[in-house]
Amino acid sequence: MNRFAPLAAAPILMLAACGNGGADTSSAPASAPAKPARVLSDAEKATLLASLPAPYNEGDLENGRRAFARCRSCHTIGEGGPDMAGPNLYGVFGRKAGERPRYSYSNAMRTADFTWDAEKLDHWLQNPRTFLPGNKMTFPGLPDDKDRRDVIAFLKVETGYQAEPAPAPAS
């Protein structure tokens, strides 16, 4: 027997353990392939970052990407990306909690009465269990304020965030 065979099987077993994250696929049509993501240039990312409200406009996108690596085993962020153990996060800002179509949320999340914004996500990322007791997310949280700020800035830049247009001046 090849002595490396158990090592080769480890990644497959880890992926198999993730399953479909409770996503209800019994009656859902096969999901369409993810749209090819429009890759933003570094200049476009910098412009979008600078347009974010404080403190996210001072976020470190590279640190946010690294910190978000802990989330990638359960979440995708690309437009049209699949749900995994957790829902796809594209378009999360401005979405009502528990309302991603075809994702099987916990009752706590389905009945939550809030819309995702940076402040809510910051509290969620700090400790999901205490933010919304009864949710099914097993992630222990990001205790570091800077990591949370940077993850939120990273997600705003990478998940199609659209800043609210400024109100028109009164005439």
Side-chain angles (χ1 to χ4, degrees):
M1 178 172 162
N2 181 338
R3 64 184 174 120
F4 295 107
L7 294 175
I12 295 168
L13 293 174
M14 288 185 345
L15 286 174
C18 289
N20 69 3
D24 179 9
T25 58
S26 58
S27 61
S31 60
K35 292 181 183 178
R38 180 182 176 281
V39 178
L40 298 176
S41 70
D42 289 344
E44 289 171 315
K45 288 179 182 183
T47 300
L48 183 53
L49 178 66
S51 74
L52 296 178
Y56 308 104
N57 61 339
E58 296 178 10
D60 177 340
L61 295 180
E62 184 56 28
N63 184 55
R65 184 191 62 75
R66 281 191 306 270
F68 185 76
R70 297 172 243 182
C71 311
R72 286 194 189 276
S73 62
C74 296
H75 294 280
T76 60
I77 60 173
E79 184 175 9
D83 295 322
M84 294 170 49
N88 172 279
L89 298 177
Y90 191 86
V92 68
F93 295 101
R95 184 166 60 208
K96 186 172 181 328
E99 289 201 350
R100 174 147 167 89
R102 295 182 305 281
Y103 183 76
S104 179
Y105 288 99
S106 64
N107 187 54
M109 187 60 78
R110 262 193 325 277
T111 58
D113 188 26
F114 67 88
T115 299
W116 288 111
D117 60 17
E119 181 183 0
K120 293 282 191 293
L121 188 58
D122 183 55
H123 291 292
W124 172 266
L125 289 172
Q126 186 173 21
N127 189 331
R129 291 183 196 121
T130 59
F131 176 82
L132 186 64
N135 79 77
K136 66 183 182 179
M137 188 165 163
T138 59
F139 183 66
L142 291 172
D144 185 76
D145 293 340
K146 183 179 182 316
D147 284 347
R148 289 194 313 275
R149 179 204 66 188
D150 294 348
V151 165
I152 292 167
F154 171 77
L155 287 173
K156 284 184 176 268
V157 168
E158 298 291 334
T159 64
Y161 170 76
Q162 297 289 321
E164 298 268 334
S171 50

